Amino acid sequence: VIKYLGFNSVRIAFSDESDLSTLDRLVKAATDEKLLVVLARRADDLPFVNATDQQMWLKSLSFMAGRYRDDKRVVGLDVHSGPGLQEDGTHTVVPMWGVPDLIQAPLEAVGIKLADWRTGATEGAVSVWEGNPDMLVVIQGGFYGTNLLDVGKEP
């Protein structure tokens, strides 16, 4: 249906809980139709906030990129689809492109902690390229893709 509507690509979401054989069948069905595929990691967490989750996230990105490395129609990977707010028990964690040190302490005093999405996205991209150096990396802004205002100043 996607192809016959005139589209040439499809975005296929996956999570750490995705059944890989099902994902493989979805990717194969799309690429058999000559569609380009962008994989998109979905999760409710911010995996770049704590070290344990971050290492698992980075490994999973490299694994997924490597898994489809030989399929040239799998062209991209969104490292974290729509990074949003997360509660960590004491703070509301907010992803932000670059975290100014000047405002971190005052915000933490009122229960808000900023997570540096610029650093997280960069590390995610490197992990994707470790799995497949030719893969397009998709980076969404914080606040569900709406805030990339500082990218020009802080690439």
Side-chain angles (χ1 to χ4, degrees):
V1 173
I2 294 167
K3 181 179 177 180
Y4 299 105
L5 289 173
F7 296 99
N8 70 346
S9 61
V10 64
R11 181 177 178 269
I12 299 176
F14 72 94
S15 71
D16 293 339
E17 293 81 34
S18 291
D19 176 61
L20 292 177
S21 63
T22 300
L23 186 61
D24 289 343
R25 286 195 305 274
L26 288 169
V27 168
K28 183 174 180 353
T31 58
D32 283 353
E33 291 295 321
K34 306 297 184 223
L35 291 169
L36 300 174
V37 173
V38 174
L39 300 169
R41 184 189 183 278
R42 290 290 306 152
D44 294 328
D45 64 342
L46 296 174
F48 54 92
V49 173
N50 77 53
T52 302
D53 289 346
Q54 182 180 27
Q55 288 308 309
M56 289 175 37
W57 171 60
L58 296 174
K59 285 180 184 178
S60 75
L61 293 174
S62 184
F63 170 80
M64 291 304 283
R67 184 175 187 84
Y68 298 104
R69 181 182 189 148
D70 294 332
D71 188 338
K72 297 304 178 194
R73 298 201 73 76
V74 179
V75 296
L77 199 154
D78 182 338
V79 299
H80 191 68
S81 186
L85 305 178
Q86 175 180 317
E87 299 295 327
D88 73 359
T90 58
H91 296 93
T92 299
V93 183
V94 179
M96 185 174 183
W97 195 265
V99 176
D101 292 334
L102 185 63
I103 64 171
Q104 184 74 289
L107 286 175
E108 285 189 19
V110 294
I112 298 171
K113 181 179 178 184
L114 299 178
D116 191 349
W117 178 221
R118 179 182 63 178
T119 301
T122 300
E123 291 171 354
V126 169
S127 289
V128 169
W129 293 324
E130 287 172 355
N132 180 350
D134 297 322
M135 188 164 273
L136 170 73
V137 174
V138 177
I139 306 292
Q140 293 190 31
F143 305 115
Y144 303 97
T146 61
N147 183 9
L148 285 173
L149 296 173
D150 294 325
V151 171
K153 295 184 292 188
E154 300 181 51

